Every structure is written in C-alpha cells, then in structure tokens.
Amino acid sequence: MTTSTASIRASKRDLVTEVPGPRSRTMMERRGATVARGVGCAVPAFIEAAGPGLLHDVDGNTLIDLGSGLGVTSVGNPAPEVVAAVHEQVASLTHTCFLATPYEGYVAVCEELARLTPGDHPKRSVLLSTGAEAVENAVKIARAATGRTAIVALDHAYHGRTNLALALTAKNAPYKQNFGPFVPDIHRIPTSYPYRDPKGMTGREAAARAVEALERQVGAENVAAVVVEPIQGEGGMIVPAAGFLTELTDWCGRNGVLLVADEIQSGFCRTGAWFASNHEGVVPDLVITAKALAGGLPLSGVTGRAEFMDAVQPGGFGGTFGGNPVACAAALAAIRTMRERDLPAKARRIGEILTARLTAIAAVHPEVGEVRGRGAMMGAEIVHPDTGLPDAESADRLARACQEAGVVLLTVGTYGNVLRFLPSLVMPEDLLGDALDVLEDCCARLFG
Ligand code: PLZ
C-alpha cells in the first residue's frame, strides 16, 4: 500500500502526472500478468483512496468521479457513518450465516426495505450478496408463486452476469458471447426507448407493442414474471415514455403475472425518489435492490408481496454470505444517511445541474443527440449528427479525453455510445461544475 501521498491529497481535481501515471502503468503490467483478461478496465488508474466525489490514484492524482463505482457510493466514499457502523460491527460479530444462527441486523434491513419500497401491503424480504444473485432469486420466487415458468425481459435490459441473469440481459458482446446455452423459457419483448422509437410513440403505444409481442410469442397464461428496470442503466440510461410502466404493470395485474422491478441501479435515491418506480406510482410485486443499498459493501435483496415471497418453501432461499452482518450494518447506516441528508432532494438538484449543463452542450454540438435521465442517473447519447446513428467511437474518445483531464466519465449502452452520469449524491456542486467544464472543453476540442 502507498501512503506517501496521503498527507497531501487534494480536495479538488488535481493532476500531478499524466493519467494513468507511472505507478498505475506498472500496476497495470502486474495486473496483465495475473488478472484474467476477461475482467474489464474502463480507466487504467489504480485508486488508493477516495473523498466526496473524488478518487485519489497511486500517482498522487485526484480525479472527479462521475461513476460512483457503477452507482454504488451514493452516500459517499467513504461515508463516515458507514465507516463507523462497519468498524463497530466487524469488531463485535463478523459472520455467522443467517441460516445457521440469526442476528438483528438482517431483520432490521428487511424492516427498512418493507418501509421504503413502493406500496404499503405486507412485505417480506430475502437478503443476498450481489445484484445478479438477487435477480436469480426473484425468478425463483415468481415461478414458485405462480406455478408458471416463462420469464419476460425487455430489449436493452441488463440484469447481471450469472447464467440466468445473462439470459435476461439483452446485449450479446461482451456479456454473453461464448457463454451459452442460457436457461430456457426467457423471452424478450420491445421496450420504450423514446429517442429511437417511431417519432411521437407514447408510453401506452409502446406498452401495447410489448404486450402484443408477449401474448403472441409466449402467451399470457404461461408468464410468471415481467422483469423491468424502471430506468434502464447499462442499456443506455433509457427512461421509458410516460405510461409505459403503468400500462405494463396493469397488464401484469390483470393476467396474474408478477411485475418485477430491478431497482439495482435506479433505487435508493439515485433518481430523486427512493425508487424509480415511485415517479410513476408503480407498485411492483417484487423489487430487487443492491448497489447503493449498503453504501459500498456487497448486499442485495428481493422485497415483495408477502403472499408471493412466502410461496417459497422453508429452506428454499439461502447462501453462506447473504445478508452478512457487516453488510447489514453498513446498509442501516447508509439508509440512515440517505434519510437524514435527504438524498432524494440532493439527487434532484444534481439532475437539475446536469440537465442544464448537458442541454447547453447539446445545443452547440449536434453530436450530443439526446440528454436524458432522472436525478443523478443521466445519459447523453452521442450520434452522427446527419443520420442520428449511434457513434460509439466519438463517445469513447470523449470519455477518454475527460479521463485524461482527471474526470472519471464512463460510456454505456447497447450501442456503447452513451455518456453515463452517476455521481455520488454527496458530490460537491463545485466539483460537478468543474467536471462539466472539462466535458464542455473536450466536446469543443473533439467536435469543433
Ligand atoms: N441489474 C439493473 O445495473 C449491475 C454491471 C457492471 P451485480 N450493473 C453494473 C458489469 O459490467 O458487470 C446490475 C444492474 C441492474 C443487475 C445488475 C447486476 O448486479 O451486483 O453486478 O451482480
């Protein structure tokens, strides 16, 4: 571990070497010699510490972080409340396995999930470790609760990298390539992608298109669940047209199909509400959470209507680490922080700043085809201005230019052409402004 730079860490963007610097490059060589090449790397700067909205690398550079570890460190990195809770918990009880002998933290997290997720019906939860694992369990619950087997996912969906989750994930390369066959009875239907749908298509029309495909290809009576991301993250920060989710939810209700909301990325204040489902008043049957839930520690959950959750027989859920006490303590501290600091409001404020600045950039550069998102979950789609076709190469060059200037900006999307903005919800506004200045400069340089 390097501590040489610890005493002089900057509280703003600060470059003392190029990015990546020499120490990062040496570590990248070590990485290449020992870490499997299938593990990706967006920014080759090794990080040794973080601060509010900042990442400090091993060369003494301070970068502004617009990615939050893929939407995880919403409450800060490190968040003092989470650090204190973790220290206390790890020192008193590190692990028992909740299936062997229970502890209060697990129950307390389930109580919070019942309170916070949409709807005031009786709920139950199961805790797990990763998002993909929670997705897998949601499918088990839906099948057990309905006695049906078909699971329906949307175009542009991302639900994780385990085999079943990959079957639900839409994009082939790099996620699925070479890894099939995937579990059967998973079906894909069109979603609502306003920027690329026929002009003027409403949410209601997009839902009708989706339902038509579902009924024709699968048959309503065979479907256990429709799994949706209320705002699609990896697919390209896609906000469905108003009414799409409510229509789909109503259809599920009428047909005995569970509406499963994957709120792994969009949940826990990210979009300016506790859950993205809240924006449209959607009450899912099951809600899947992970990422920001535990302030940086691995924890996930499935929360749902008691009668569906309890269709799973005793012993039907489990896992050695699911709901680990340290992760639960972190989650309780993270949730407390979200409440006390009103992080939904902070996310809305970040959304206003991002929307204003990105829209102004788009007005000058037609290469920025659309700015979209909610709260601190935003995207800017980079296109060939003449045709509107996706331009992944320019998106990539833009992201790289920002990274070299000290801003961790990542790309995302089915077509790889969307700039993704997922800052921490405690990101200081001056840092956010500086990062957007950098982006504006890079756009001017690249697009003229
Ligand atoms: N569902 C909506 O966003 C994780 C993936 C990073 P895990 N997204 C980041 C990558 O390339 O592996 C995600 C998500 C949604 C499920 C998941 C999966 O969550 O915790 O990564 O398993």
Side-chain angles (χ1 to χ4, degrees), residues 66-75 130-132 134-135 156-161 169 175 227-239 260-277 279 287-294 299-301 338 347 372-380 410-414 418-425:
L66 295 181
S68 303
L70 303 185
V72 169
T73 53
S74 298
V75 296
T130 69
V135 168
H156 307 285
Y158 183 93
H159 296 292
R161 292 180 184 258
T169 290
Y175 305 130
V227 185
V228 303
E229 294 158 86
I231 296 180
Q232 292 184 316
E234 307 301 310
M237 319 307 268
I238 304 166
V239 186
V260 179
D262 177 343
E263 292 255 17
I264 287 171
Q265 191 164 143
S266 58
F268 282 104
C269 313
R270 172 59 53 193
T271 65
W274 277 89
F275 292 92
S277 299
H279 294 291
V287 178
I288 312 175
T289 52
K291 287 200 191 275
L293 163 62
L299 184 70
S300 63
M338 291 176 200
R372 58 177 178 246
R374 277 194 206 273
M377 183 171 183
M378 304 266 317
L410 308 175
T411 60
V412 73
T414 297
V418 177
L419 303 176
R420 151 195 266 193
F421 301 87
L422 283 175
S424 169
L425 307 186

Side-chain angles (χ1 to χ4, degrees), residues 155-431:
D155 266 345
H156 307 285
Y158 183 93
H159 296 292
R161 292 180 184 258
T162 55
N163 187 276
L164 190 153
L166 279 179
L168 293 168
T169 290
K171 184 174 173 176
N172 180 52
Y175 305 130
K176 302 166 82 161
Q177 180 65 33
N178 298 325
F179 299 148
F182 302 105
V183 295
D185 221 0
I186 306 272
H187 307 269
R188 191 166 312 286
I189 59 172
T191 185
S192 166
Y193 186 165
Y195 183 62
R196 300 211 167 271
D197 281 342
K199 225 178 168 42
M201 182 179 243
T202 64
R204 181 181 282 261
E205 287 161 354
R209 178 177 65 178
V211 164
E212 188 280 324
L214 187 164
E215 289 178 340
R216 174 167 44 82
Q217 296 175 40
V218 198
E221 68 275 23
N222 300 314
V223 180
V226 175
V227 185
V228 303
E229 294 158 86
I231 296 180
Q232 292 184 316
E234 307 301 310
M237 319 307 268
I238 304 166
V239 186
F244 175 77
L245 290 174
T246 45
E247 288 284 320
L248 212 53
T249 308
D250 290 349
W251 181 91
C252 285
R254 288 196 304 275
N255 288 279
V257 174
L258 270 56
L259 190 284
V260 179
D262 177 343
E263 292 255 17
I264 287 171
Q265 191 164 143
S266 58
F268 282 104
C269 313
R270 172 59 53 193
T271 65
W274 277 89
F275 292 92
S277 299
N278 296 134
H279 294 291
E280 293 215 39
V282 166
V283 179
D285 296 303
L286 305 181
V287 178
I288 312 175
T289 52
K291 287 200 191 275
L293 163 62
L297 271 77
L299 184 70
S300 63
V302 185
T303 302
R305 295 184 191 276
E307 67 270 28
F308 297 145
M309 295 297 294
D310 286 343
V312 172
Q313 66 281 9
F317 293 130
T320 307
F321 288 118
N324 164 273
V326 182
C328 285
L332 294 171
I335 290 169
R336 211 165 44 239
T337 305
M338 291 176 200
R339 221 184 245 123
E340 281 170 12
R341 296 210 201 163
D342 194 3
L343 291 193
K346 290 267 188 331
R348 290 195 293 274
R349 171 81 186 133
I350 289 172
E352 283 166 16
I353 295 170
L354 283 171
T355 305
R357 293 291 308 268
L358 294 174
T359 308
I361 293 174
V364 183
H365 301 291
E367 292 84 354
V368 182
E370 190 183 49
V371 173
R372 58 177 178 246
R374 277 194 206 273
M377 183 171 183
M378 304 266 317
E381 179 150 354
I382 307 300
V383 298
H384 295 282
D386 302 338
T387 58
L389 289 172
D391 185 358
E393 200 189 304
S394 292
D396 212 57
R397 281 173 47 212
L398 207 46
R400 212 165 295 272
C402 288
Q403 290 159 13
E404 283 163 7
V407 175
V408 174
L409 176 63
L410 308 175
T411 60
V412 73
T414 297
Y415 312 109
N417 68 323
V418 177
L419 303 176
R420 151 195 266 193
F421 301 87
L422 283 175
S424 169
L425 307 186
V426 299
M427 166 74 81
E429 287 187 18
D430 57 332
L431 293 186

